Amino acid sequence: MQPMFLKPVFKERIWGGTALQEEFGYKIPNEKTGECWAISAHPNGPSMIENGPYAGMSLDAIWREKPELFGHPKEEVFPLLTKILDANMDLSVQVHPEDTYAKVHENGELGKTECWYILDCKEGAEMIFGHKAKTKEELVEKLKEGKWNELLGRVKIKPGDFYYVPSGTIHALCEGTLVLETQQSSDTTYRVYDYDRRDADGNLRELHLEKAIDVTTVPHQHAGVAPKVEKRENVTITTFVESEFFTVYKWEIEGKAAFEYNHHYLLLSVIKGDGTLVHNGEKYPLTKGTHCIIPVGLGEFELNGELELIVSHA
Ligand code: ZN
């Protein structure tokens, strides 16, 4: 058994830029690249395995054909999606449904609870998080009248911050923010407000106000996070969130750190530094922008170097 390294998929977005190339060295398809789907089994952009016996297979195929690598999971589809987002311009203000609503209204899609680790942002950067309406009627009224300043909540952000964004939370990343996102494997977004922007063909993007009103939590519930920090030999592990959808950690490695996870498959994303993953005498290079999955039953492995990773499991 081997760790499975993944080839990212890139998405052009109206708000994208070139930071994925500048910061992560990825070969991006164009100058409006907004999203790197780093660990994905979603049909809109599945990742391919790059190494080992399953090289060339997509993650969704492995999930179906080799359930033992994932501990014979109960979920029908791979439940997680790891992305890196380059918000070179403001993203549309949006909200996502939860599982039951998405299943009924979006052809069996999963809902979308997500979380963000802020990799980088401009000094004084903000994002839109939550709303100030006290009742559904007030939400509808302010949305329809376009009273965005009165309605939308804003928070100041800085690199290293972590936000948990449950389905039903109105949110938007703002210009100049680079984020690692861990989310349910879903591509359903209800757009509330798009700053009246037009695409290259002069068209406004579609809004989804009725669905957004259906799924928005009123009043806004702020899901705060209280990171727990644990130090072990040559590694500091910060647990950001343990929710019904995912658990997300940051691992900061200095030197040689040993791990063994037998009950979960793990999603690893290197966000800083260089080093190696050592397993069974094999050495796999790790660098900023490398993503891999540690299958269930891999046994002991070692991370070596000066590294920061975001790690998650379902
Ligand atoms: Zn979102």
Side-chain angles (χ1 to χ4, degrees):
M1 201 179 281
Q2 297 182 10
M4 298 186 282
F5 288 83
L6 299 148
K7 189 176 163 60
V9 175
F10 296 96
K11 300 280 180 184
E12 180 175 343
R13 296 288 182 249
I14 193 171
W15 42 261
T18 54
L20 292 168
Q21 181 165 331
E22 287 146 21
E23 296 292 322
F24 285 89
Y26 295 132
K27 233 178 123 65
I28 57 173
N30 60 55
E31 306 218 317
K32 283 211 167 285
T33 302
E35 303 189 9
C36 163
W37 290 27
I39 305 177
S40 161
H42 194 280
N44 294 356
S47 336
M48 296 290 164
I49 312 295
E50 288 190 302
N51 67 307
Y54 312 117
M57 273 177 86
S58 68
L59 182 53
D60 55 317
I62 301 263
W63 175 263
R64 285 193 308 270
E65 291 169 30
K66 299 280 168 197
E68 63 276 18
L69 299 178
F70 304 94
H72 297 280
K74 58 185 187 318
E75 301 99 329
E76 218 166 286
V77 295
F78 184 75
L80 300 178
L81 176 52
T82 303
K83 292 179 184 171
I84 303 175
L85 307 178
D86 168 16
N88 185 52
M89 286 159 57
D90 292 341
L91 266 73
S92 58
V93 179
Q94 54 189 263
V95 62
H96 308 296
E98 42 77 54
D99 285 343
T100 313
Y101 191 95
K103 191 168 187 175
V104 175
H105 294 88
E106 307 299 336
N107 269 326
E109 265 271 272
L110 290 178
K112 190 173 167 190
T113 283
E114 59 194 41
C115 64
W116 301 327
Y117 179 80
I118 311 293
L119 295 164
D120 199 9
C121 62
K122 292 199 299 198
E123 183 85 45
E126 292 188 332
M127 66 181 190
I128 290 169
F129 197 67
H131 64 80
K132 298 177 204 160
K134 291 185 186 64
T135 61
K136 211 64 149 179
E137 294 71 48
E138 190 185 347
L139 176 78
V140 171
E141 187 191 302
K142 297 241 157 100
L143 278 181
K144 298 214 158 145
E145 292 173 6
K147 292 188 170 162
W148 307 113
N149 287 338
E150 285 175 35
L151 181 65
L152 300 175
R154 285 178 172 271
V155 290
K156 289 241 186 279
I157 59 168
K158 58 182 188 314
D161 283 351
F162 183 89
Y163 285 89
Y164 183 57
V165 190
S167 56
T169 306
I170 287 191
H171 62 276
L173 293 173
C174 299
E175 180 195 340
T177 313
L178 193 62
V179 159
L180 187 134
E181 177 176 75
T182 305
Q183 58 161 97
Q184 288 183 272
S185 182
S186 168
D187 202 16
T188 299
T189 292
Y190 300 145
R191 212 174 278 134
V192 173
Y193 176 48
D194 198 30
Y195 306 95
D196 304 316
R197 284 181 293 203
R198 289 174 190 276
D199 66 15
D201 302 322
N203 301 312
L204 294 166
R205 294 197 294 174
E206 191 193 348
L207 300 179
H208 317 93
L209 286 184
E210 294 309 321
K211 285 178 172 174
I213 290 164
D214 279 350
V215 305
T216 298
T217 305
V218 185
H220 168 63
Q221 297 193 358
H222 192 90
V225 289
K228 283 183 284 188
V229 181
E230 178 197 350
K231 285 189 194 289
R232 295 193 212 158
E233 197 181 352
N234 297 334
V235 58
T236 303
I237 297 180
T238 304
T239 306
F240 288 119
V241 64
E242 293 176 281
S243 82
E244 60 181 299
F245 304 108
F246 41 68
T247 296
V248 179
Y249 312 95
K250 178 162 71 169
W251 292 0
E252 294 166 273
I253 316 279
E254 281 187 57
K256 193 194 274 189
F259 297 90
E260 190 167 2
Y261 277 77
N262 292 317
H263 304 299
H264 298 292
Y265 54 94
L266 296 180
L267 281 54
L268 268 56
S269 296
V270 181
I271 56 165
K272 204 182 260 186
D274 286 293
T276 49
L277 188 162
V278 185
H279 174 254
N280 259 346
E282 287 281 340
K283 278 189 181 175
Y284 304 89
L286 297 179
T287 189
K288 186 175 170 177
T290 304
H291 306 271
C292 73
I293 293 178
I294 304 291
V296 171
L298 187 83
E300 199 174 315
F301 64 96
E302 198 179 276
L303 298 179
N304 224 320
E306 303 282 313
L307 291 161
E308 275 184 35
L309 301 99
I310 298 293
V311 177
S312 60
H313 61 73

